[in-house]
Amino acid sequence: MRDIHLPPGLFPNAMEVTEHGEYWVPGTMLSPSDTESVLFKLDSLGIVTAEYLPLANARPRGEQNHHDWNSLRTASITMGAPGPYASFSLLDSVWAIDEASGMVRSWAIRPDGYTAPSLPEKPIRGGPAMMAWLESSQRATGIWGNDSYLLVAFASGIYHRAESSVASYRDVNGTWHTLLDTPVILRSMGSRLVAFAHPVDERVVINMFELR
């Protein structure tokens, strides 16, 4: 029907479309930019109308800045009634944006068993060293849900090959819980979650979960 051109240099991690034809795009600017935002609101023509979450250079607490963090930085989004909820791969928090007022709230959601990423003692050189680093900690791999529930998974290794993960889950009362050994979540559909079962097996199985 038509093409929507994103801002030059914006590398999107995901996208949500509102009922008014606007776009919410989490991602990072690959080219030199004067913004550190990782969440952008675009109109129907692809023009940025608002920016949120200056996390482009964020890193786990107490860690020094290093270019290797760039390989792990991703942002995720899911939509609620007031606006989007977002998570960021290197941080153990959730952000809620009120679309009408522009107000941003956040919650720390570190689940039990979560190991934050940290820089290795030696420089990362080669595939085995990178894999060992990815498997030594957990990163927020996505956020799913809506105003009724939220789920943020923290997985180790390469996302779609992660053998285990933990998750923070917010129930209808707003209480956060830890879910241990959660599957690799792919997407949510209402109260249902689609997930990989045993993604490192020769034959991958996709499971459907119903939240109750």
Side-chain angles (χ1 to χ4, degrees), residues 121-207:
E121 296 180 0
K122 298 181 179 180
I124 302 172
R125 295 174 179 169
M130 175 61 74
M131 283 300 302
W133 184 40
L134 293 176
E135 293 172 354
S136 67
S137 63
Q138 293 156 325
R139 303 172 310 285
T141 53
I143 182 170
W144 299 270
N146 48 43
D147 299 313
S148 298
Y149 78 92
L150 288 174
L151 187 146
V152 182
F154 296 84
S156 59
I158 298 176
Y159 173 44
H160 281 175
R161 292 180 60 83
E163 295 189 55
S164 64
S165 64
V166 296
S168 285
Y169 170 71
R170 190 189 72 175
D171 62 25
V172 68
N173 297 315
T175 303
W176 288 94
H177 310 271
T178 293
L179 301 180
L180 299 175
D181 298 323
T182 56
V184 179
I185 309 297
L186 300 177
R187 64 168 298 174
S188 62
M189 296 185 296
S191 62
R192 294 182 176 182
L193 293 170
V194 181
F196 273 146
H198 311 296
V200 296
D201 289 352
E202 182 176 344
R203 185 174 183 181
V204 176
V205 176
I206 293 178
N207 288 163

Coordinates of all heavy atoms in Angstrom, one line a residue, residues 121-207:
E121 N 36.9 -10.4 32.4 CA 38.2 -9.9 32.7 C 39.1 -9.8 31.5 O 40.0 -8.9 31.4 CB 38.9 -10.9 33.8 CG 38.1 -10.9 35.1 CD 38.8 -11.8 36.1 OE1 39.8 -12.4 35.7 OE2 38.3 -12.0 37.2
K122 N 39.0 -10.7 30.5 CA 39.8 -10.6 29.3 C 39.0 -10.1 28.1 O 37.8 -10.3 28.1 CB 40.4 -12.0 29.0 CG 41.3 -12.6 30.1 CD 41.8 -13.9 29.7 CE 42.8 -14.5 30.8 NZ 43.3 -15.8 30.4
P123 N 39.6 -9.5 27.1 CA 38.9 -9.1 26.0 C 38.2 -10.2 25.3 O 38.7 -11.3 25.2 CB 40.0 -8.5 25.1 CG 41.1 -8.1 26.0 CD 41.0 -9.2 27.1
I124 N 37.0 -9.9 24.7 CA 36.2 -10.9 24.0 C 36.7 -11.0 22.6 O 36.6 -10.1 21.8 CB 34.7 -10.5 24.0 CG1 34.2 -10.4 25.4 CG2 33.9 -11.6 23.3 CD1 32.8 -9.8 25.6
R125 N 37.3 -12.2 22.3 CA 37.9 -12.4 20.9 C 37.4 -13.8 20.4 O 37.8 -14.8 21.0 CB 39.4 -12.3 20.9 CG 39.9 -10.9 21.3 CD 41.4 -10.8 21.4 NE 41.9 -9.5 21.8 CZ 43.1 -9.2 22.2 NH1 44.0 -10.2 22.3 NH2 43.4 -8.0 22.4
G126 N 36.7 -13.7 19.3 CA 36.2 -15.0 18.7 C 34.9 -15.5 19.3 O 34.4 -15.0 20.3
G127 N 34.3 -16.4 18.5 CA 33.0 -16.9 18.8 C 32.9 -17.6 20.2 O 31.9 -17.3 20.9
P128 N 33.8 -18.5 20.5 CA 33.7 -19.2 21.8 C 33.7 -18.2 23.0 O 32.9 -18.4 23.9 CB 34.9 -20.1 21.8 CG 35.2 -20.4 20.4 CD 34.8 -19.1 19.7
A129 N 34.5 -17.2 22.9 CA 34.6 -16.2 24.0 C 33.3 -15.4 24.1 O 32.8 -15.2 25.2 CB 35.8 -15.3 23.8
M130 N 32.7 -15.1 22.9 CA 31.4 -14.4 22.9 C 30.3 -15.2 23.5 O 29.5 -14.8 24.3 CB 31.1 -13.9 21.5 CG 29.7 -13.3 21.4 SD 29.6 -11.7 22.4 CE 30.6 -10.6 21.4
M131 N 30.3 -16.5 23.1 CA 29.3 -17.4 23.7 C 29.4 -17.6 25.2 O 28.4 -17.6 25.9 CB 29.3 -18.8 23.0 CG 28.7 -18.8 21.6 SD 27.0 -18.3 21.6 CE 26.3 -19.5 22.6
A132 N 30.6 -17.7 25.6 CA 30.8 -17.9 27.1 C 30.4 -16.6 27.8 O 29.8 -16.7 28.9 CB 32.3 -18.1 27.4
W133 N 30.6 -15.5 27.2 CA 30.1 -14.2 27.9 C 28.6 -14.2 27.9 O 28.0 -13.9 28.9 CB 30.7 -13.0 27.1 CG 30.3 -11.7 27.8 CD1 30.3 -11.4 29.1 CD2 29.9 -10.5 27.1 NE1 29.9 -10.1 29.3 CE2 29.7 -9.5 28.1 CE3 29.8 -10.2 25.7 CZ2 29.3 -8.2 27.8 CZ3 29.4 -8.9 25.4 CH2 29.2 -7.9 26.4
L134 N 27.9 -14.6 26.8 CA 26.5 -14.5 26.7 C 25.8 -15.5 27.7 O 24.8 -15.2 28.2 CB 26.0 -14.9 25.3 CG 26.4 -13.8 24.2 CD1 25.9 -14.4 22.8 CD2 25.7 -12.5 24.5
E135 N 26.5 -16.6 27.9 CA 25.9 -17.6 28.8 C 26.2 -17.4 30.3 O 25.7 -18.1 31.2 CB 26.5 -19.0 28.4 CG 26.0 -19.4 27.1 CD 26.7 -20.7 26.6 OE1 27.6 -21.2 27.3 OE2 26.3 -21.2 25.5
S136 N 27.1 -16.4 30.6 CA 27.5 -16.1 32.0 C 26.5 -15.3 32.7 O 26.6 -15.1 34.0 CB 28.9 -15.5 32.0 OG 28.8 -14.1 31.4
S137 N 25.5 -14.7 32.1 CA 24.5 -13.8 32.7 C 23.2 -13.9 32.0 O 23.0 -14.7 31.1 CB 25.1 -12.4 32.7 OG 25.2 -11.9 31.4
Q138 N 22.3 -13.1 32.4 CA 21.0 -13.0 31.8 C 20.6 -11.6 31.4 O 21.0 -10.7 32.0 CB 19.9 -13.6 32.8 CG 20.1 -15.1 33.1 CD 19.5 -15.5 34.4 OE1 19.5 -14.7 35.4 NE2 19.0 -16.7 34.5
R139 N 19.9 -11.5 30.3 CA 19.4 -10.2 29.7 C 17.9 -10.3 29.5 O 17.4 -11.3 29.2 CB 20.2 -9.9 28.4 CG 21.7 -10.0 28.6 CD 22.4 -9.9 27.2 NE 21.9 -10.8 26.2 CZ 22.2 -12.1 26.2 NH1 22.9 -12.6 27.1 NH2 21.7 -12.9 25.3
A140 N 17.3 -9.1 29.6 CA 15.9 -9.0 29.3 C 15.7 -9.2 27.8 O 16.2 -8.4 27.0 CB 15.4 -7.6 29.8
T141 N 15.0 -10.3 27.5 CA 14.9 -10.6 26.0 C 13.5 -10.1 25.5 O 13.3 -10.3 24.3 CB 15.0 -12.1 25.8 OG1 14.1 -12.8 26.7 CG2 16.4 -12.6 26.1
G142 N 12.7 -9.5 26.3 CA 11.4 -9.0 25.7 C 10.4 -8.8 26.8 O 10.6 -9.2 28.0
I143 N 9.4 -8.0 26.5 CA 8.3 -7.7 27.4 C 7.0 -8.1 26.7 O 6.8 -7.8 25.5 CB 8.3 -6.3 27.9 CG1 7.2 -6.0 28.9 CG2 8.3 -5.3 26.7 CD1 7.3 -4.7 29.6
W144 N 6.1 -8.7 27.4 CA 4.8 -9.1 26.8 C 3.7 -8.8 27.8 O 3.9 -8.8 29.0 CB 4.8 -10.6 26.5 CG 5.9 -11.0 25.5 CD1 5.7 -11.1 24.1 CD2 7.2 -11.4 25.8 NE1 6.9 -11.5 23.6 CE2 7.9 -11.7 24.6 CE3 7.9 -11.5 27.0 CZ2 9.2 -12.1 24.5 CZ3 9.3 -11.9 26.9 CH2 9.9 -12.2 25.7
G145 N 2.5 -8.7 27.2 CA 1.3 -8.4 28.1 C 0.6 -7.2 27.8 O 0.6 -6.6 26.7
N146 N -0.1 -6.6 28.8 CA -0.9 -5.4 28.6 C -1.2 -4.8 30.0 O -0.4 -5.1 30.9 CB -2.2 -5.7 27.9 CG -2.9 -7.0 28.5 OD1 -3.0 -7.1 29.7 ND2 -3.4 -7.9 27.6
D147 N -2.3 -4.1 30.2 CA -2.5 -3.5 31.5 C -2.9 -4.6 32.6 O -2.8 -4.3 33.8 CB -3.7 -2.5 31.4 CG -3.3 -1.4 30.5 OD1 -2.2 -0.8 30.6 OD2 -4.1 -1.0 29.6
S148 N -3.4 -5.7 32.1 CA -3.8 -6.8 33.1 C -2.6 -7.6 33.6 O -2.6 -8.0 34.8 CB -4.8 -7.7 32.4 OG -6.0 -7.1 32.0
Y149 N -1.6 -7.8 32.8 CA -0.5 -8.6 33.2 C 0.7 -8.1 32.4 O 0.6 -7.7 31.3 CB -0.7 -10.1 33.1 CG -0.5 -10.6 31.6 CD1 0.7 -11.1 31.2 CD2 -1.6 -10.6 30.8 CE1 0.8 -11.5 29.9 CE2 -1.5 -11.0 29.5 CZ -0.2 -11.5 29.0 OH -0.1 -11.9 27.7
L150 N 1.9 -8.3 32.9 CA 3.2 -8.1 32.2 C 4.1 -9.2 32.5 O 4.1 -9.8 33.7 CB 3.8 -6.8 32.6 CG 3.1 -5.5 32.2 CD1 3.9 -4.3 32.8 CD2 3.2 -5.4 30.6
L151 N 4.9 -9.6 31.6 CA 5.9 -10.6 31.8 C 7.2 -10.2 31.0 O 7.2 -9.8 29.9 CB 5.5 -12.0 31.2 CG 6.4 -13.2 31.6 CD1 5.6 -14.4 31.8 CD2 7.4 -13.4 30.4
V152 N 8.3 -10.2 31.8 CA 9.6 -9.9 31.2 C 10.5 -11.0 31.5 O 10.8 -11.4 32.6 CB 10.2 -8.6 31.8 CG1 11.6 -8.3 31.2 CG2 9.3 -7.4 31.7
A153 N 11.1 -11.6 30.4 CA 11.9 -12.8 30.5 C 13.4 -12.4 30.5 O 13.8 -11.4 29.7 CB 11.7 -13.8 29.4
F154 N 14.2 -13.0 31.3 CA 15.6 -12.8 31.3 C 16.3 -14.1 30.9 O 16.3 -15.1 31.7 CB 16.1 -12.4 32.7 CG 15.5 -11.0 33.1 CD1 14.2 -11.0 33.7 CD2 16.2 -9.9 33.0 CE1 13.7 -9.8 34.1 CE2 15.7 -8.6 33.4 CZ 14.4 -8.6 33.9
A155 N 17.0 -14.1 29.8 CA 17.5 -15.4 29.2 C 19.0 -15.3 29.1 O 19.6 -14.2 29.0 CB 16.9 -15.7 27.9
S156 N 19.7 -16.4 29.2 CA 21.2 -16.4 29.0 C 21.4 -17.0 27.6 O 20.5 -17.6 26.9 CB 21.9 -17.3 30.0 OG 21.3 -18.6 30.0
G157 N 22.7 -16.8 27.1 CA 23.0 -17.4 25.8 C 22.4 -16.6 24.6 O 22.0 -15.4 24.8
I158 N 22.3 -17.2 23.5 CA 21.6 -16.6 22.3 C 20.1 -16.8 22.5 O 19.6 -17.9 22.7 CB 22.1 -17.2 21.0 CG1 23.6 -16.9 20.8 CG2 21.3 -16.6 19.8 CD1 24.2 -17.6 19.6
Y159 N 19.3 -15.7 22.3 CA 17.9 -15.7 22.7 C 17.2 -16.9 22.3 O 16.6 -17.7 23.1 CB 17.3 -14.4 22.2 CG 15.8 -14.4 22.3 CD1 15.2 -14.7 23.5 CD2 15.0 -13.9 21.3 CE1 13.8 -14.7 23.7 CE2 13.6 -13.8 21.5 CZ 13.0 -14.2 22.6 OH 11.7 -14.2 22.8
H160 N 17.1 -17.2 21.0 CA 16.3 -18.3 20.5 C 16.9 -19.7 20.7 O 16.3 -20.7 20.3 CB 16.0 -18.1 19.0 CG 15.0 -17.1 18.7 ND1 14.6 -16.7 17.5 CD2 14.2 -16.4 19.6 CE1 13.6 -15.8 17.5 NE2 13.4 -15.6 18.8
R161 N 18.1 -19.7 21.3 CA 18.7 -21.0 21.7 C 18.9 -21.1 23.2 O 19.6 -22.0 23.7 CB 20.0 -21.2 21.0 CG 19.9 -21.3 19.5 CD 21.2 -21.5 18.8 NE 21.9 -22.6 19.2 CZ 21.7 -23.9 18.8 NH1 20.8 -24.1 17.8 NH2 22.4 -24.9 19.2
A162 N 18.3 -20.2 23.9 CA 18.5 -20.2 25.4 C 17.8 -21.5 25.9 O 16.7 -21.8 25.6 CB 17.8 -19.0 26.0
E163 N 18.5 -22.2 26.8 CA 18.0 -23.4 27.4 C 17.1 -23.1 28.6 O 16.3 -23.9 29.0 CB 19.1 -24.4 27.7 CG 19.9 -24.9 26.5 CD 20.8 -26.0 26.9 OE1 20.4 -27.0 27.4 OE2 22.0 -25.8 26.5
S164 N 17.4 -22.0 29.3 CA 16.6 -21.7 30.5 C 16.6 -20.2 30.7 O 17.4 -19.5 30.2 CB 17.2 -22.4 31.7 OG 18.5 -21.9 32.0
S165 N 15.6 -19.7 31.4 CA 15.5 -18.3 31.7 C 14.6 -18.2 32.9 O 13.9 -19.1 33.3 CB 14.9 -17.5 30.5 OG 13.6 -18.0 30.3
V166 N 14.7 -17.0 33.5 CA 13.8 -16.6 34.6 C 13.0 -15.5 34.1 O 13.3 -14.8 33.1 CB 14.5 -16.3 35.9 CG1 15.3 -17.5 36.4 CG2 15.5 -15.1 35.7
A167 N 11.9 -15.2 34.8 CA 11.0 -14.1 34.3 C 10.4 -13.4 35.5 O 10.2 -13.9 36.6 CB 9.9 -14.6 33.4
S168 N 10.1 -12.1 35.3 CA 9.4 -11.3 36.3 C 7.9 -11.2 35.7 O 7.8 -10.9 34.6 CB 10.0 -9.9 36.5 OG 11.1 -10.0 37.3
Y169 N 7.0 -11.5 36.6 CA 5.6 -11.5 36.1 C 4.7 -10.6 37.1 O 4.8 -10.7 38.3 CB 5.0 -12.9 36.2 CG 3.5 -13.0 36.0 CD1 3.0 -12.8 34.8 CD2 2.7 -13.4 37.1 CE1 1.6 -12.9 34.6 CE2 1.3 -13.5 36.9 CZ 0.8 -13.2 35.7 OH -0.6 -13.3 35.5
R170 N 4.0 -9.6 36.5 CA 3.1 -8.8 37.2 C 1.7 -9.2 37.0 O 1.2 -9.3 35.9 CB 3.2 -7.3 36.8 CG 2.5 -6.4 37.8 CD 2.5 -4.9 37.2 NE 1.5 -4.9 36.1 CZ 1.2 -3.7 35.4 NH1 1.8 -2.6 35.8 NH2 0.4 -3.7 34.4
D171 N 1.0 -9.6 38.2 CA -0.4 -10.1 38.0 C -1.4 -8.9 38.0 O -1.0 -7.7 37.9 CB -0.7 -11.0 39.2 CG -0.6 -10.3 40.6 OD1 -0.8 -9.1 40.6 OD2 -0.4 -11.1 41.6
V172 N -2.6 -9.3 38.0 CA -3.7 -8.3 37.8 C -3.8 -7.3 39.0 O -4.3 -6.2 38.8 CB -5.1 -9.0 37.6 CG1 -5.5 -9.7 38.9 CG2 -6.1 -8.0 37.1
N173 N -3.2 -7.7 40.1 CA -3.2 -6.8 41.3 C -2.0 -5.9 41.3 O -1.8 -5.1 42.3 CB -3.2 -7.6 42.6 CG -4.5 -8.4 42.7 OD1 -5.6 -7.9 42.4 ND2 -4.4 -9.7 43.0
G174 N -1.1 -6.0 40.3 CA 0.1 -5.2 40.3 C 1.3 -5.7 41.1 O 2.3 -5.0 41.3
T175 N 1.2 -7.0 41.5 CA 2.2 -7.6 42.3 C 3.2 -8.3 41.4 O 2.7 -9.1 40.5 CB 1.7 -8.6 43.3 OG1 0.7 -7.9 44.2 CG2 2.8 -9.2 44.2
W176 N 4.5 -8.2 41.6 CA 5.5 -8.8 40.8 C 5.9 -10.1 41.4 O 6.1 -10.3 42.6 CB 6.7 -7.9 40.6 CG 6.5 -6.8 39.7 CD1 6.1 -5.5 40.1 CD2 6.6 -6.7 38.3 NE1 5.9 -4.7 39.0 CE2 6.2 -5.4 37.9 CE3 6.9 -7.7 37.3 CZ2 6.2 -5.0 36.5 CZ3 6.9 -7.3 36.0 CH2 6.6 -6.0 35.6
H177 N 6.1 -11.2 40.6 CA 6.5 -12.5 41.0 C 7.7 -13.0 40.1 O 7.9 -12.5 39.0 CB 5.3 -13.5 40.9 CG 4.1 -13.1 41.5 ND1 3.7 -13.3 42.8 CD2 3.0 -12.4 40.9 CE1 2.5 -12.8 43.0 NE2 2.1 -12.2 41.9
T178 N 8.4 -14.0 40.6 CA 9.5 -14.6 39.9 C 8.9 -15.9 39.3 O 8.4 -16.7 40.0 CB 10.7 -14.9 40.7 OG1 11.3 -13.6 41.1 CG2 11.7 -15.7 39.9
L179 N 9.2 -16.2 38.0 CA 8.9 -17.4 37.4 C 10.2 -18.1 37.0 O 10.9 -17.5 36.2 CB 8.0 -17.2 36.2 CG 6.6 -16.6 36.4 CD1 5.9 -16.5 35.0 CD2 5.8 -17.3 37.4
L180 N 10.5 -19.2 37.5 CA 11.7 -19.9 37.3 C 11.6 -20.9 36.1 O 10.5 -21.4 35.8 CB 12.2 -20.7 38.5 CG 12.4 -19.9 39.8 CD1 12.7 -20.8 41.0 CD2 13.6 -18.9 39.5
D181 N 12.7 -21.0 35.4 CA 12.8 -22.0 34.2 C 11.7 -21.7 33.2 O 11.0 -22.6 32.8 CB 12.7 -23.4 34.7 CG 13.9 -23.8 35.6 OD1 15.0 -23.3 35.3 OD2 13.7 -24.5 36.6
T182 N 11.5 -20.5 32.9 CA 10.5 -20.1 31.9 C 10.9 -20.5 30.5 O 12.1 -20.5 30.2 CB 10.1 -18.6 32.0 OG1 11.3 -17.9 31.7 CG2 9.5 -18.2 33.3
P183 N 10.0 -20.8 29.6 CA 10.4 -21.0 28.2 C 10.8 -19.8 27.5 O 10.6 -18.7 28.0 CB 9.1 -21.6 27.6 CG 8.0 -21.0 28.4 CD 8.5 -20.9 29.8
V184 N 11.3 -19.9 26.3 CA 11.7 -18.8 25.5 C 10.4 -18.2 24.8 O 9.9 -18.7 23.9 CB 12.7 -19.1 24.4 CG1 13.1 -17.9 23.6 CG2 14.0 -19.7 25.1
I185 N 9.9 -17.1 25.4 CA 8.7 -16.5 24.9 C 8.9 -15.9 23.5 O 9.9 -15.2 23.3 CB 8.2 -15.4 25.9 CG1 8.1 -16.0 27.3 CG2 6.8 -14.9 25.5 CD1 7.2 -17.1 27.5
L186 N 7.9 -16.1 22.6 CA 8.0 -15.5 21.3 C 7.1 -14.3 21.1 O 7.5 -13.3 20.6 CB 7.6 -16.6 20.3 CG 8.5 -17.8 20.2 CD1 7.9 -18.8 19.2 CD2 9.9 -17.4 19.8
R187 N 5.9 -14.4 21.6 CA 4.9 -13.3 21.6 C 3.7 -13.6 22.4 O 3.6 -14.7 22.9 CB 4.4 -13.1 20.1 CG 3.7 -14.3 19.5 CD 3.0 -13.8 18.2 NE 2.0 -12.8 18.5 CZ 1.4 -12.1 17.5 NH1 1.6 -12.4 16.2 NH2 0.5 -11.2 17.8
S188 N 2.9 -12.6 22.7 CA 1.7 -12.8 23.5 C 0.5 -12.5 22.6 O 0.5 -11.7 21.6 CB 1.7 -11.8 24.7 OG 1.7 -10.5 24.3
M189 N -0.6 -13.1 22.9 CA -1.9 -12.9 22.2 C -3.0 -12.9 23.3 O -3.4 -14.0 23.7 CB -2.1 -14.0 21.2 CG -1.1 -14.0 20.0 SD -1.5 -15.2 18.8 CE -1.4 -16.8 19.7
G190 N -3.3 -11.7 23.8 CA -4.3 -11.6 24.8 C -3.7 -12.3 26.1 O -2.7 -11.8 26.6
S191 N -4.4 -13.2 26.7 CA -3.9 -13.9 27.9 C -3.0 -15.1 27.5 O -2.7 -15.9 28.4 CB -5.1 -14.3 28.7 OG -5.9 -15.3 28.0
R192 N -2.7 -15.3 26.3 CA -1.9 -16.5 25.9 C -0.5 -16.1 25.5 O -0.3 -15.0 25.0 CB -2.6 -17.2 24.7 CG -3.9 -17.8 25.1 CD -4.5 -18.6 23.9 NE -5.7 -19.2 24.2 CZ -6.4 -20.0 23.4 NH1 -6.0 -20.1 22.1 NH2 -7.5 -20.6 23.8
L193 N 0.4 -16.9 25.8 CA 1.8 -16.7 25.4 C 2.3 -17.9 24.5 O 2.0 -19.0 24.7 CB 2.7 -16.7 26.7 CG 2.5 -15.5 27.6 CD1 3.3 -15.8 28.9 CD2 3.0 -14.3 27.0
V194 N 3.0 -17.5 23.4 CA 3.5 -18.5 22.5 C 5.0 -18.6 22.8 O 5.7 -17.6 23.0 CB 3.3 -18.1 21.0 CG1 3.9 -19.1 20.1 CG2 1.9 -17.9 20.8
A195 N 5.5 -19.8 23.0 CA 6.9 -20.0 23.4 C 7.5 -21.2 22.8 O 6.9 -22.2 22.3 CB 7.0 -20.2 24.9
F196 N 8.9 -21.2 22.7 CA 9.7 -22.3 22.3 C 9.8 -23.3 23.4 O 10.0 -22.9 24.6 CB 11.1 -21.9 21.9 CG 11.2 -21.5 20.4 CD1 12.1 -20.5 20.1 CD2 10.5 -22.1 19.4 CE1 12.3 -20.1 18.8 CE2 10.7 -21.7 18.1 CZ 11.6 -20.7 17.8
A197 N 9.7 -24.6 23.1 CA 10.0 -25.6 24.1 C 11.2 -26.3 23.6 O 11.3 -26.8 22.5 CB 8.8 -26.6 24.2
H198 N 12.2 -26.4 24.5 CA 13.5 -27.0 24.2 C 14.1 -26.5 22.8 O 14.3 -27.3 21.9 CB 13.4 -28.5 24.2 CG 12.6 -29.1 25.3 ND1 13.2 -29.0 26.6 CD2 11.4 -29.7 25.5 CE1 12.3 -29.6 27.5 NE2 11.3 -30.0 26.8
P199 N 14.4 -25.2 22.7 CA 14.8 -24.7 21.4 C 16.2 -25.2 20.9 O 16.5 -25.1 19.7 CB 14.9 -23.2 21.7 CG 15.2 -23.1 23.2 CD 14.4 -24.2 23.8
V200 N 17.0 -25.9 21.8 CA 18.3 -26.4 21.3 C 18.1 -27.8 20.8 O 19.1 -28.4 20.4 CB 19.3 -26.3 22.4 CG1 19.6 -24.8 22.7 CG2 18.9 -27.1 23.6
D201 N 17.0 -28.4 20.9 CA 16.8 -29.8 20.4 C 16.8 -29.8 18.9 O 16.5 -28.8 18.3 CB 15.5 -30.4 21.0 CG 15.6 -30.7 22.4 OD1 16.7 -30.6 23.0 OD2 14.5 -31.1 23.0
E202 N 17.0 -31.0 18.3 CA 17.0 -31.1 16.9 C 15.6 -30.7 16.3 O 15.5 -30.1 15.2 CB 17.4 -32.5 16.5 CG 17.4 -32.7 15.0 CD 17.9 -34.1 14.6 OE1 18.5 -34.8 15.5 OE2 17.7 -34.5 13.5
R203 N 14.6 -31.1 17.0 CA 13.2 -30.8 16.5 C 12.6 -29.8 17.5 O 12.3 -30.2 18.7 CB 12.4 -32.0 16.4 CG 11.0 -31.7 15.8 CD 10.2 -33.0 15.6 NE 8.9 -32.8 15.0 CZ 8.1 -33.7 14.6 NH1 8.4 -35.0 14.9 NH2 6.9 -33.4 14.1
V204 N 12.4 -28.6 17.1 CA 11.9 -27.5 18.0 C 10.3 -27.6 18.1 O 9.7 -27.9 17.1 CB 12.3 -26.1 17.5 CG1 11.6 -25.0 18.4 CG2 13.8 -26.0 17.5
V205 N 9.8 -27.4 19.3 CA 8.4 -27.5 19.5 C 7.9 -26.1 20.0 O 8.6 -25.5 20.8 CB 8.0 -28.6 20.6 CG1 6.5 -28.5 20.9 CG2 8.4 -29.9 20.1
I206 N 6.8 -25.6 19.5 CA 6.2 -24.4 20.0 C 5.0 -24.7 20.9 O 4.2 -25.5 20.5 CB 5.8 -23.5 18.8 CG1 7.0 -23.0 18.0 CG2 5.0 -22.3 19.3 CD1 6.7 -22.2 16.8
N207 N 5.0 -24.1 22.1 CA 4.0 -24.3 23.1 C 3.1 -23.1 23.2 O 3.5 -22.0 22.9 CB 4.5 -24.6 24.4 CG 5.1 -26.0 24.6 OD1 5.9 -26.3 25.5 ND2 4.8 -26.9 23.6

